[in-house]
Amino acid sequence: MPFGVQLETLTDLMNLPPKRETLDAMGGPEGLMRSLGTGPSGLPAGDNKKERIEAFGENVFPQPPSKTFFELFVEALSDRTLIILCIAAVVSLVLGVTTGDAQERKTGWIEGAAILVSVLIVSLVTSGNDYSKEKQFRRLNAAGQAKDLTVIRDDKTVQVPNTQILVGDVLKLETGDILPADGICIFSNNLKCNEASMTGESDDLKKEPTGDPFLFCGCRCVDGNGQMVVTAVGAHSQWGNIKAMLQTPREETELQKKLSDVAEKIGRLGLVTAVITFSILAAQWAYTIVKSGRGFNLTEMRGLVDCVIIAVTIIVVAVPEGLPLAVTIALAYSLPSGPT
């Protein structure tokens, strides 16, 4: 069905500061409800909800896109330590199959191949844990936001999930409710709202159809009760606009920062140990070549590559990159599966 008001007009009406003159030009709250095809008794039984969603949107906020398993896998493989280990493994593999006698060449590929397989397994496990953690956080976030609201539809009071609220719905408001969408007050029994989170106004504001009727998503009803007709939902609400502008990657918590700091310090200790180990092994390798009097040849490179692999392995083992991840996953799974 065609609506008597467009999304752009409703957006302009509710944009801060809201415009009372625009509402009056529509015929006040009553005229606005007529334009939206609703009334004090709510949306009629035969209302085309699909058409209403297409015209005004639905009451969900867009989430930042999550990384795919492949993207997380590539990110895990991009670790500098693993890249060095892969290069050393490839060199070891090439030298293993091209140098030494016939018997050594038959088994020379095993060490390099085993390292590459280990790197693959580590990357798969890391990316799998990251992917599982991301899905778990999204499920917990969705469960925490789920809430049933009291709505009047077809002159009947029903409970509707907040994600299914539509523009034109009439909501019943009670003290303590957090507004799920923008709207216009159509009935007030000493209804007061706190809009500090939206406008910065610390005083509680009285809401009534003939005075200040503008209600904003995310604000709390602190006194009285009333009814509102929804004018904007989801990303089209004022809270949705602010959320979109402030959309930033999720910052680490204090616990995650401290765990990362501990992991970094342990990693530095592992790096120092690896450098010392490599220096000793490399010196021993060079001393052996000089003492043998055989001179340097390509076969001797395998010994140096082994020294590099041992040093890099110490770094890989010492750096506890999984510590913050393990604690985060443990905390996520310890939380309840739904809102308390």
Side-chain angles (χ1 to χ4, degrees):
M1 68 177 184
F3 298 99
V5 62
Q6 301 298 316
L7 175 62
E8 293 76 12
T9 304
L10 293 176
T11 302
D12 182 65
L13 170 68
M14 299 302 296
N15 276 342
L16 296 173
K19 302 168 181 62
R20 177 75 206 202
E21 60 273 15
T22 303
L23 179 62
D24 291 337
M26 295 178 179
E30 297 80 7
L32 174 61
M33 286 191 287
R34 286 194 299 270
S35 299
L36 291 173
T38 186
S41 59
L43 296 176
D47 185 75
N48 190 329
K49 293 180 175 58
K50 182 178 180 181
E51 193 173 84
R52 193 172 289 272
I53 290 174
E54 290 177 353
F56 303 110
E58 52 186 343
N59 198 30
V60 293
F61 295 98
Q63 296 292 328
S66 58
K67 294 182 180 180
T68 64
F69 180 83
F70 179 75
E71 288 174 331
L72 292 171
F73 177 69
V74 172
E75 189 177 289
L77 274 178
S78 300
D79 182 81
R80 188 182 305 169
T81 307
L82 291 182
I83 292 174
I84 295 173
L85 194 57
C86 286
I87 294 173
V90 171
V91 173
S92 176
L93 183 64
V94 172
L95 293 175
V97 297
T98 57
T99 60
D101 56 33
Q103 185 61 34
E104 289 177 339
R105 286 197 295 271
K106 285 183 180 180
T107 58
W109 60 273
I110 295 177
E111 182 177 346
I115 294 173
L116 292 175
V117 171
S118 300
V119 170
L120 178 63
I121 293 174
V122 168
S123 299
L124 286 172
V125 171
T126 301
S127 54
N129 282 338
D130 286 343
Y131 187 69
S132 175
K133 180 187 69 173
E134 181 70 21
K135 289 179 62 178
Q136 180 72 358
F137 272 126
R138 286 183 178 272
R139 283 197 298 268
L140 290 170
N141 189 46
Q145 293 178 350
K147 183 181 179 181
D148 287 343
L149 303 171
T150 304
V151 181
I152 300 175
R153 285 183 177 176
D154 195 29
D155 209 20
K156 298 176 183 177
T157 300
V158 295
Q159 295 293 311
V160 178
N162 59 343
T163 56
Q164 296 180 18
I165 296 299
L166 304 173
V167 169
D169 265 326
V170 175
L171 307 185
K172 284 190 172 183
L173 305 177
E174 300 289 343
T175 301
D177 287 348
I178 297 178
L179 302 179
D182 292 351
I184 299 295
C185 178
I186 60 173
F187 167 75
S188 172
N189 178 23
N190 196 36
L191 179 65
K192 293 183 179 180
C193 290
N194 187 295
E195 298 180 351
S197 61
M198 181 64 61
T199 64
E201 176 60 62
S202 59
D203 294 334
D204 298 335
L205 302 177
K206 187 174 183 179
K207 300 293 181 177
E208 53 187 1
T210 56
D212 175 11
F214 300 99
L215 299 165
F216 299 102
C217 177
C219 297
R220 183 181 294 272
C221 300
V222 295
D223 193 17
N225 58 71
Q227 296 177 6
M228 65 175 273
V229 58
V230 177
T231 58
V233 293
H236 301 296
S237 66
Q238 290 302 297
W239 176 244
N241 293 336
I242 294 174
K243 194 173 183 179
M245 289 188 291
L246 298 179
Q247 193 73 58
T248 56
R250 186 170 55 232
E251 295 183 358
E252 287 186 335
T253 63
E254 287 300 319
L255 176 60
Q256 289 174 321
K257 290 178 181 178
K258 290 180 180 179
L259 289 171
S260 298
D261 184 56
V262 171
E264 184 178 348
K265 290 179 179 177
I266 297 175
R268 290 176 182 173
L269 180 61
L271 178 61
V272 172
T273 304
V275 171
I276 294 173
T277 302
F278 174 75
S279 300
I280 295 173
L281 292 176
Q284 183 183 25
W285 169 76
Y287 176 76
T288 303
I289 293 177
V290 173
K291 187 178 179 180
S292 66
R294 297 192 303 269
F296 179 80
N297 57 66
L298 191 60
T299 305
E300 303 293 345
M301 278 295 295
R302 294 183 62 181
L304 183 61
V305 171
D306 289 340
C307 297
V308 174
I309 292 174
I310 292 172
V312 175
T313 302
I314 292 175
I315 297 175
V316 173
V317 174
V319 177
E321 291 178 334
L323 178 61
L325 175 64
V327 174
T328 302
I329 294 174
L331 290 175
Y333 277 96
S334 69
L335 293 174
S337 58
T340 56

